[in-house]
Amino acid sequence: MASGTALIYDEEMTAHKLLWNDPICDIEVPERLSFSYEQLRSYHLVERCVHVPAREGSEEEILLVHSLEHLEMAKSTQTMNEEELKRVSENYDAFFFHPSTYHCARLAVGAALQLVDAVMAGKVRNGMALVRPPGHHSQRNAANGFCLFNNVAIAAEYAKLKYGLQRILIVDWDVHHGQGTQYIFEEDPSVLYFSWHRYEHQEFWPSLKESDYDAVGLGKGKGFNINLPWNKVGMGNSDYLAAFFHVLLPMAFEFDPELVIVSSGYDSGIGDPEGQMNATPEVFAHLTHFLMQLANGKLCVILEGGYHLKSLGESVCMTVKTLLGDPVPQITGEMAPCLSAVESIQNVRAAHKPYWKCLAYEDTSFLQNLSTKSHLLKKANSNPSAEDESQITNNNNTVKVERFLELHMKNILFPVPSIKTATTGSEGSEYFLPEHVQLVKEMDETEIKVLVSGFYADLVKEEKTLLSLGSTFVILDKILKKEVCNGIAASPTAALSAAVAVRHGVRFGFQRVLCVFVGDMQMIPNTEDGKMLVINICEKEQSRKTSCKHYISLNWKEDAGGNDFFSAVLGFILPVAYSYQPNLTVVAVGPNRNLGISGISLLVALLRGLAESRVFVVIEDTEISLMQTVAKALVGTSTPPFGIYVPPTQEKVNKIKALRDQFQQEWKMLQCSVKDGI
Ligand code: Q9C
Ligand code: ZN
């Protein structure tokens, strides 16, 4: 299993720069690269990465995507004077040439290919390449939107050719539509392209009809192009997360890529003059964390846009930190997608219904009156007084945004990288422990007794049960003291351990503890009501009503022979969990578990995105491979094998739908359609 994170940066790529006055292009500056790298250095992230050198992409490699004509044109600019460069630049929409542009663009291509090689050869698990010029607007025969060669598209073709890959996922989170990438792969079913982008009903650059949600691909590639247009500015963390839960991730898990490449533009982040969006840097940690669960962790992140230096730098750091396996920072802001975002999400799900099993039972009856709705939205948007107002708030906001970003890293950089997972066990069990898992010593009997008698006496009546709680205490203490990030324990009384863990956390000061119970779990009465949310995944309806205020029962029996649980995790559990914003997550696996090892590991891996990755898992099961796989998921350095893709049955989809209807007023991240109940 490969480990480590590659970082590719070459100062030479800062040579490409604008030599004349051009208000459209003047934001694409060399400092975008140097400042991002400086920021990585100051947070000591550079030294934690594996340095991989860039190289020039060969002509042959560039020709995998571009025409000979385009290559020759680019090559010819090397010896031009300023006037000639300006004239050639004018042939394209938003591009500038410098004598060094050709060399830099070849380095940008080569950097992307070096990253693919490092990941595919198993030298590293994942990595990031900081490159200029960017690539995703560039087309077979044209430079466009600051892009000369399509670095990501070339990387994907190269990976297909050199490593025989049959399924590559490209995630384009840049705020602009990578129309170049779409054109290159629109007939290709081996590359799934996802892009969200500022669209504003085609008002925003590049203002193309084919950037809308109904461009799903052509010919054999039908269904393999996913466009999620944002029709309003100001989209934030919750809108991006909703897009991942309800659009990208279900399709990506079904696609089951062998490699994931990110067209990683940060102009979709807060403060960016192009994007005008509100997502904070830590959202990129979450997006990265989700994508790390695919393709066995093989993830190549390649820089595209991002024009607010501070925002760009912080977001790059968030991405690299997450690639390294650090705890995922807490996401901020109200966890509810806006109406316009939900409408876009609903539209793209409907457009892709014919192509994806995970969307097979999507209700599309709303499509009839859609044109009217979009028309209304557009009208509201172009209301002049409303526009003035947003302009005013924007100006006031600029100061706030600057201040926010200044304080940003101070709040989220953890004192020490704590990719540590604690566990307890007998002598010799070290042999079974994955890297980064540390064995902690059990408490002795008297210590436990002192603790229990004061605070847990009502929960624990028998001496022998009491002793089994030792590991829970020890591990939870380490989590609370931030000595480790998360922990796992085996316990003959998982329900009791969980109850003790919750109380321990609440006593420590946590206001919200998320409990996910799997299997038959005895609900412990009058636990810390009001400060916990229980999601109970069990095979049959819990007959006895619990006293617990926030209690959700999710009846689920995993399909034999495959893993259909992902649909419940993405469609229900994660949205609820992200809406709740816990400070601590407790996962307890009881007897008669109704989920397989891969289902439980996927659940645990994804729950690491919450509560700054503070997760305590307790398992009432002696199966060593379950413990091992879950421990690996907690460490975050390996991905649970997902198994054979099994689409959820209509019955299961209906179950999730019903739960969504029931809970989406309370837990708003569940919203993914406009018609029912918003
Ligand atoms: N009126 C990237 O972020 N704007 N490119 C053109 C013309 C061009 C952005 C406006 C924006 C290009 C990689
Ligand atoms: Zn962009």
Side-chain angles (χ1 to χ4, degrees):
M1 182 69 213
S3 67
T5 295
L7 180 62
I8 306 187
Y9 170 77
D10 191 327
E11 206 189 320
E12 280 196 49
M13 283 181 275
T14 61
H16 164 67
K17 64 168 193 254
L18 180 64
L19 293 173
W20 51 85
N21 240 344
D22 177 354
I24 288 171
C25 291
D26 63 10
I27 52 175
E28 210 285 271
V29 294
E31 290 73 26
R32 297 181 49 242
L33 226 55
S34 47
F35 184 79
S36 298
Y37 191 71
E38 222 18 77
Q39 206 79 332
L40 284 168
R41 207 204 290 279
S42 72
Y43 298 128
H44 302 285
L45 295 167
V46 170
E47 65 221 46
R48 297 175 53 202
C49 292
V50 177
H51 171 79
V52 172
R55 64 167 170 92
E56 278 201 330
S58 70
E59 298 194 359
E60 198 188 345
E61 287 159 350
I62 290 163
L63 292 172
L64 285 172
V65 158
H66 296 282
S67 67
L68 186 58
E69 196 186 335
H70 183 61
L71 176 67
E72 293 298 337
M73 176 280 299
K75 202 191 291 180
S76 72
T77 61
Q78 291 177 99
T79 52
M80 287 181 179
N81 62 33
E82 190 173 323
E83 198 187 322
E84 292 168 316
L85 289 168
K86 201 169 172 183
R87 213 191 54 241
V88 188
S89 301
E90 275 159 9
N91 292 335
Y92 303 101
D93 182 3
F95 192 77
F96 59 89
F97 278 101
H98 177 276
S100 73
T101 299
Y102 177 68
H103 174 59
C104 292
R106 280 186 61 166
L107 279 177
V109 169
L113 303 186
Q114 288 281 85
L115 182 54
V116 166
D117 278 333
V119 168
M120 289 311 300
K123 289 204 184 88
V124 293
R125 201 163 106 85
N126 55 32
M128 175 156 199
L130 296 175
V131 300
R132 273 182 79 245
H136 71 152
H137 296 302
S138 152
Q139 298 147 41
R140 188 176 143 74
N141 204 22
N144 180 279
F146 315 156
C147 304
L148 180 58
F149 299 138
N150 197 317
N151 310 314
V152 165
I154 297 169
E157 288 293 1
Y158 176 84
K160 276 167 60 180
L161 193 70
K162 183 160 176 188
Y163 300 98
L165 299 190
Q166 295 179 337
R167 291 179 315 279
I168 297 174
L169 168 66
I170 297 178
V171 177
D172 188 337
W173 67 45
D174 187 284
V175 86
H176 299 95
H177 181 219
Q179 86 279 35
T181 310
Q182 171 169 316
Y183 298 151
I184 291 159
F185 296 114
E186 61 193 344
E187 293 188 63
D188 186 345
S190 67
V191 176
L192 175 60
Y193 177 62
F194 169 89
S195 172
W196 64 35
H197 35 269
R198 179 172 171 190
Y199 192 56
E200 298 175 286
H201 303 278
Q202 216 180 312
E203 302 277 293
F204 189 69
W205 188 91
S207 302
L208 302 167
K209 179 77 197 64
E210 63 266 30
S211 305
D212 214 344
Y213 61 83
D214 55 356
V216 297
L218 301 171
K220 280 188 181 152
K222 264 195 160 147
F224 297 96
N225 190 86
I226 313 170
N227 281 336
L228 177 55
W230 298 127
N231 287 317
K232 296 213 163 167
V233 295
M235 294 298 166
N237 294 345
S238 52
D239 305 299
Y240 288 4
L241 291 171
F244 265 52
F245 296 152
H246 301 305
V247 180
L248 173 63
L249 293 176
M251 294 158 97
F253 274 104
E254 181 168 341
F255 182 66
D256 188 22
E258 299 159 292
L259 174 67
V260 180
I261 308 178
V262 182
S263 259
S264 187
Y266 296 97
D267 40 16
S268 47
I270 191 167
D272 193 276
E274 278 283 307
Q276 305 280 324
M277 297 302 179
N278 273 331
T280 59
E282 58 269 32
V283 87
F284 295 103
H286 290 261
L287 305 185
T288 304
H289 178 248
F290 292 134
L291 297 183
M292 285 165 72
Q293 313 309 320
L294 295 155
N296 210 2
K298 289 197 285 298
L299 180 57
C300 296
V301 182
I302 296 165
L303 185 67
E304 300 278 2
Y307 307 100
H308 184 291
L309 288 187
K310 189 76 184 158
S311 184
L312 167 67
E314 298 288 302
S315 301
V316 166
C317 290
M318 283 290 106
T319 305
V320 171
K321 253 177 93 56
T322 307
L323 290 174
L324 283 162
D326 280 5
V328 185
Q330 192 111 31
I331 202 97
T332 51
E334 205 214 338
M335 275 301 128
C338 72
L339 180 61
S340 175
V342 174
E343 202 196 36
S344 295
I345 287 169
Q346 172 174 255
N347 288 341
V348 65
R349 281 170 64 102
H352 276 276
K353 171 180 167 150
Y355 312 106
W356 297 91
K357 291 181 186 140
C358 61
L359 300 174
Y361 310 106
E362 205 58 13
D363 184 353
T364 50
S365 54
F366 68 93
L367 281 170
Q368 296 147 13
N369 46 18
L370 194 76
S371 51
T372 358
K373 217 182 273 170
S374 302
H375 173 71
L376 286 175
L377 275 172
K378 192 169 173 181
K379 221 170 164 189
N381 220 12
S382 57
N383 174 342
S385 68
E387 215 153 75
D388 286 351
E389 214 172 285
S390 79
Q391 200 52 49
I392 292 164
T393 17
N394 273 344
N395 289 340
N396 278 345
N397 264 345
T398 311
V399 183
K400 277 197 212 146
V401 167
E402 298 298 322
R403 184 79 191 125
F404 168 83
L405 286 169
E406 211 169 285
L407 294 170
H408 183 253
M409 261 306 176
K410 290 206 189 78
N411 295 332
I412 46 188
L413 257 193
F414 306 85
V416 280
S418 46
I419 335 167
K420 281 187 195 150
T421 299
T423 191
T424 57
S426 51
E427 289 295 312
S429 53
E430 300 93 323
Y431 294 113
F432 302 108
L433 298 177
E435 207 190 343
H436 296 296
V437 177
Q438 57 169 250
L439 200 62
V440 299
K441 201 173 104 324
E442 296 266 1
M443 274 178 180
D444 72 45
E445 224 169 292
T446 33
E447 268 180 288
I448 301 171
K449 274 186 189 156
V450 171
L451 266 166
V452 174
S453 60
F455 208 68
Y456 306 94
D458 61 320
L459 296 176
V460 188
K461 305 248 152 52
E462 281 175 63
E463 179 116 345
K464 105 170 177 297
T465 353
L466 184 146
L467 287 177
S468 76
L469 292 173
S471 47
T472 298
F473 281 122
V474 181
I475 293 172
L476 217 62
D477 258 6
K478 285 190 174 272
I479 294 176
L480 299 181
K481 288 182 191 146
K482 292 198 176 197
E483 281 171 38
V484 299
C485 164
N486 48 40
I488 182 169
S491 162
T493 53
L496 189 59
S497 286
V500 165
V502 171
R503 187 174 290 181
H504 216 53
V506 168
R507 186 177 166 190
F508 180 78
F510 288 153
Q511 292 301 304
R512 292 178 307 281
V513 181
L514 171 67
C515 298
V516 182
F517 293 163
V518 180
D520 295 344
M521 289 285 289
Q522 186 76 35
M523 290 295 292
I524 306 294
N526 65 53
T527 25
E528 325 307 302
D529 216 11
K531 298 196 172 176
M532 65 190 279
L533 164 64
V534 178
I535 302 178
N536 196 0
I537 307 160
C538 47
E539 201 172 328
K540 36 187 190 300
E541 190 82 48
Q542 205 82 348
S543 52
R544 195 165 38 81
K545 188 93 181 92
T546 67
S547 62
C548 186
K549 209 156 94 194
H550 293 305
Y551 175 83
I552 301 173
S553 166
L554 171 62
N555 304 116
W556 198 272
K557 171 76 186 158
E558 204 168 41
D559 201 278
N563 186 351
D564 63 3
F565 186 56
F566 84 97
S567 58
V569 177
L570 300 174
F572 188 74
I573 298 171
L574 277 191
V576 170
Y578 271 83
S579 304
Y580 185 58
Q581 289 292 301
N583 317 103
L584 172 69
T585 305
V586 175
V587 179
V589 181
N592 293 325
R593 59 181 167 85
N594 45 327
L595 299 177
I597 290 182
S598 59
I600 294 172
S601 324
L602 179 77
L603 177 69
V604 168
L606 287 169
L607 288 174
R608 238 174 57 93
L610 295 139
E612 294 178 355
S613 300
R614 276 189 292 269
V615 186
F616 173 65
V617 183
V618 55
I619 297 181
E620 187 171 324
D621 195 320
T622 44
E623 206 177 324
I624 185 81
S625 60
L626 176 64
M627 280 287 273
Q628 262 186 334
T629 316
V630 171
K632 281 185 189 166
L634 280 174
V635 171
T637 48
S638 113
T639 332
F642 189 62
I644 312 148
Y645 175 80
V646 175
T649 59
Q650 177 152 20
E651 189 197 336
K652 280 188 169 144
V653 172
N654 286 341
K655 190 174 281 177
I656 294 169
K657 232 184 264 175
L659 281 168
R660 244 190 329 242
D661 287 346
Q662 193 185 340
F663 289 103
Q664 67 179 358
Q665 284 304 329
E666 197 174 356
W667 310 113
K668 297 205 161 54
M669 291 303 295
L670 288 167
Q671 297 171 355
C672 63
S673 60
V674 174
K675 60 163 187 63
D676 33 58
I678 299 189

